[in-house]
Amino acid sequence: MLENAQDYYGKVLSGSADLRTDACCTAEMPSETVRRALANVHEDVRARYYGCGLVVPQAIEGAHVLDLGSGAGQDAYLLAQMVGAKGSVTGVDATPEQLAVAEAHKDWHADKFGYANVRFVEGDIEKLDALDLAPESFDVIVSNCVINLVADKAAVFRAAHRLLKPGGELYFSDVYADRRVPAHLLDDPVLHGECLSGALYWGDFDRLAKEAGFADPRLVTDRPLAINDRAVAAKLTGIGFVSATWRLFKLDGLEPQCEDYGQAVRYNGTVAGEEDVFHLDAHHAIEAGKTFPVCGNSWLMLEQTRFAPHFEFIGDFSKHYGVFPGCGTAMPFGQSGTNPAKSETACC
């Protein structure tokens, strides 16, 4: 799988226009802040972009970020502007042709930004333990449509958990399937290179994430994928694919269910770009100034992370009221198009 990914993204594709499906394309409209930052990324880097989502989590100024499968460096150079001069971005990629593009423009971006805070490391994200990366040294780890390309996805999640600081998060976009993709399709270089045959069944992702220590995966956004290439679609009949962004927090104390302790938070409106509504995930659009009931897990995701200075916290864990209604195990996709801010009640 690594060899095919290296060949497909290093030799078969010369640019984003060569892709045969929209699996490795970003459809959502970036914020004005992200659009301005993208304008500061060199056009040669942007031309070799193959991501499927926007991996720009909130409130990362001063953070140390690890980008898994950084490719030609678009996300790394974008995030470098978000973390600022006091933060840093480390990109890891296994494709020499992609890394060559990223490395060739380091000085150009440093001049553009006014500081140099990006480095790139050649390596396989399945073997992060073999790289010179210190445990618990990153605040945030991102990845954009790359984990589906590797064989040992469990190893990636385990290593990410090891490399994150307590309270840090893995914030990543990838492609998922509504059922397990037949194993023989992994041998198809186009299906694999287009991020389809290596896509995880969402239930397997949930299990692997939890086994790695990420107890409560949170879906942020999702969109169904259209496979417009007839030859590709014919090989995948009956399988539905989704591009989704998840956030996984490294936190002790997260429970398997969304438990109700009578807690609530009040958002101060101080996260740049989300002054009116803070989006924790697809269920939680938290309006500024409004008391917002949350489960114990959501409370910890805000109180024990970089988001804590932006919230007031109400309650503790002294009294348990049972599980939040509606928190089940159904397929999670299709929720992020709703507007929870308009709901009468919050969902855990």
Side-chain angles (χ1 to χ4, degrees):
M1 293 180 74
L2 173 61
E3 291 77 10
N4 183 68
Q6 289 173 317
D7 184 67
Y8 202 76
Y9 289 92
K11 298 180 176 64
V12 175
L13 301 179
S14 61
S16 308
D18 295 332
L19 290 165
R20 294 174 60 177
T21 72
D22 71 350
C24 294
C25 301
T26 300
E28 58 193 293
M29 175 62 69
S31 68
E32 182 179 349
T33 300
V34 171
R35 291 198 299 272
R36 287 199 302 267
L38 283 172
N40 292 330
V41 177
H42 196 282
E43 61 182 4
D44 291 347
V45 171
R46 297 201 307 269
R48 298 292 293 267
Y49 172 73
Y50 306 112
C52 61
L54 292 173
V55 288
V56 187
Q58 316 97 314
I60 58 172
E61 184 176 357
H64 298 287
V65 177
L66 177 64
D67 182 4
L68 301 180
S70 52
Q74 174 171 299
D75 288 334
Y77 289 124
L78 170 62
L79 292 165
Q81 300 171 71
M82 304 301 176
V83 302
K86 294 183 179 180
S88 68
V89 180
T90 299
V92 175
D93 201 90
T95 305
E97 292 87 349
Q98 291 279 77
L99 281 174
V101 175
E103 290 281 3
H105 296 90
K106 282 178 67 175
D107 291 342
W108 187 93
H109 287 98
D111 290 341
K112 188 78 170 178
F113 304 158
Y115 50 83
N117 65 347
V118 180
R119 69 172 178 134
F120 295 98
V121 177
E122 184 172 352
D124 184 353
I125 67 169
E126 289 182 84
K127 301 175 181 177
L128 290 170
D129 292 348
L131 304 181
D132 186 22
L133 302 172
E136 298 190 351
S137 59
F138 294 99
D139 301 290
V140 177
I141 297 177
V142 300
S143 181
N144 200 336
C145 210
V146 175
I147 295 176
N148 74 86
L149 295 172
V150 306
D152 192 351
K153 297 170 175 63
V156 179
F157 293 127
R158 288 194 303 268
H161 192 273
R162 182 182 65 87
L163 292 169
L164 281 170
K165 299 176 183 178
E169 72 166 321
L170 171 58
Y171 187 98
F172 73 108
S173 296
D174 221 300
V175 177
Y176 299 88
D178 64 359
R179 65 200 68 185
R180 295 186 178 107
V181 181
H184 72 272
L185 294 180
L186 284 173
D187 296 329
D188 188 304
V190 173
L191 294 185
H192 178 252
E194 294 283 331
C195 304
L196 296 169
S197 62
L200 271 173
Y201 164 53
W202 73 268
D204 289 336
F205 157 71
D206 185 75
R207 173 179 54 81
L208 291 176
K210 290 174 178 176
E211 288 175 352
F214 298 108
D216 188 357
R218 293 295 178 94
L219 177 68
V220 180
T221 62
D222 67 283
R223 65 179 176 92
L225 295 182
I227 303 175
N228 298 319
D229 185 291
R230 290 186 177 182
V232 172
K235 298 176 182 179
L236 299 167
T237 300
I239 306 173
F241 293 91
V242 173
S243 173
T245 298
W246 295 86
R247 65 189 332 158
L248 311 180
F249 289 96
K250 180 179 179 176
L251 287 169
D252 292 333
L254 295 180
E255 300 185 87
Q257 299 293 329
C258 295
E259 305 293 348
D260 184 359
Y261 294 93
Q263 295 160 311
V265 297
R266 188 176 296 114
Y267 174 46
N268 298 326
T270 50
V271 172
E274 297 202 344
E275 289 82 2
D276 296 324
V277 181
F278 176 86
H279 295 85
L280 176 63
D281 54 45
H283 279 301
H284 298 77
I286 306 174
E287 292 183 77
K290 183 178 181 180
T291 301
F292 191 93
V294 292
C295 71
N297 283 359
S298 297
W299 198 88
L300 290 173
M301 290 175 186
L302 297 171
E303 198 270 340
Q304 294 190 7
T305 67
R306 66 186 187 279
F307 301 129
H310 303 284
F311 286 85
E312 299 172 30
F313 297 90
I314 301 165
D316 52 31
F317 288 86
S318 59
K319 187 173 182 179
H320 182 227
Y321 296 92
V323 69
F324 261 85
C327 292
T329 57
M331 185 168 68
F333 305 124
Q335 304 172 46
S336 61
T338 61
N339 185 359
K342 295 183 178 180
S343 300
E344 290 299 320
T345 59
C347 179
C348 64

